[in-house]
Amino acid sequence: MAARKQFAVIGMGRFGSSVAGALTNLGFEVLAIDKSEQKIQEISDQVTHAVSADTTDEDALRAIGVRNFDVVVVAIGADIQASILTTLILKDLGVPRLIVKAQNELHGKVLNKIGADKVIFPERDMGLRVAHHLISPNILDY
Ligand code: ATP
């Protein structure tokens, strides 16, 4: 039987911590990374492992061994520069699948160009989902 996928989630804002917690609850191994020690303390009992690191530092990412994870989610929001640098480094390190949260259209374009496998716009994507559910005849939940 194939081993269960291992996930790393970078950035423990509302989006990143929700993704990390949900994956853990689904039974997957999740490493949470944030440069804030406080964020790491807050999330530590909701994920498998939690480490504090600045992910714009290539050596730090190497030391953590992020390239051994099947999927890495970059959920750094406001600091667009940090999001782009982190994505670029992860791509260079050979992470198999990179999912990145974008702050706006232009940020999303850059992320696509530097090799993000999937770019997510949480508010826009959720807005679309809600709209589609509202017009569907069988509204169960959204
Ligand atoms: P959300 O909307 O999901 O709450 P946000 O868009 O407000 O998130 P931020 O709060 O800017 O996003 O960033 C999310 C997290 O990313 C923060 O906890 C922040 O500490 C972390 N972060 C920012 N830069 C780095 C970095 N260089 N390395 C590691 N973590 C970082």
Side-chain angles (χ1 to χ4, degrees):
M1 200 178 79
R4 288 212 114 180
K5 274 200 174 127
Q6 294 191 318
F7 296 88
V9 182
I10 299 172
M12 291 297 112
R14 288 165 302 172
F15 177 72
S17 54
S18 168
V19 171
L23 286 168
T24 313
N25 289 338
L26 288 165
F28 291 92
E29 199 168 309
V30 177
L31 169 67
I33 307 171
D34 199 293
K35 68 176 181 184
S36 151
E37 293 267 2
Q38 196 196 329
K39 285 277 168 72
I40 286 306
Q41 279 196 359
E42 285 166 10
I43 198 77
S44 60
D45 57 355
Q46 294 162 54
V47 294
T48 326
H49 307 284
V51 295
S52 135
D54 181 344
T55 55
T56 61
D57 175 352
E58 182 168 348
D59 293 337
L61 282 179
R62 266 185 212 281
I64 291 168
V66 275
R67 56 164 304 194
N68 300 317
F69 287 79
D70 302 291
V71 183
V72 179
V73 180
V74 181
I76 297 173
D79 190 343
I80 291 179
Q81 179 172 327
S83 159
I84 292 170
L85 290 178
T86 297
T87 303
L88 198 60
I89 296 168
L90 291 169
K91 189 74 193 167
D92 273 358
L93 288 176
V95 169
R97 191 158 163 76
L98 260 178
I99 318 289
V100 190
K101 167 183 138 150
Q103 190 79 353
N104 55 49
E105 289 292 329
L106 205 54
H107 182 198
K109 259 191 191 175
V110 174
L111 295 171
N112 275 316
K113 289 213 173 186
I114 62 175
D117 298 290
K118 188 162 174 55
V119 176
I120 294 169
F121 301 83
E123 292 86 357
R124 189 191 76 180
D125 296 349
M126 195 61 196
L128 281 172
R129 243 180 105 177
V130 170
H132 278 110
H133 276 83
L134 288 174
I135 60 161
S136 95
N138 309 307
I139 303 172
L140 291 176
D141 76 295
Y142 55 84

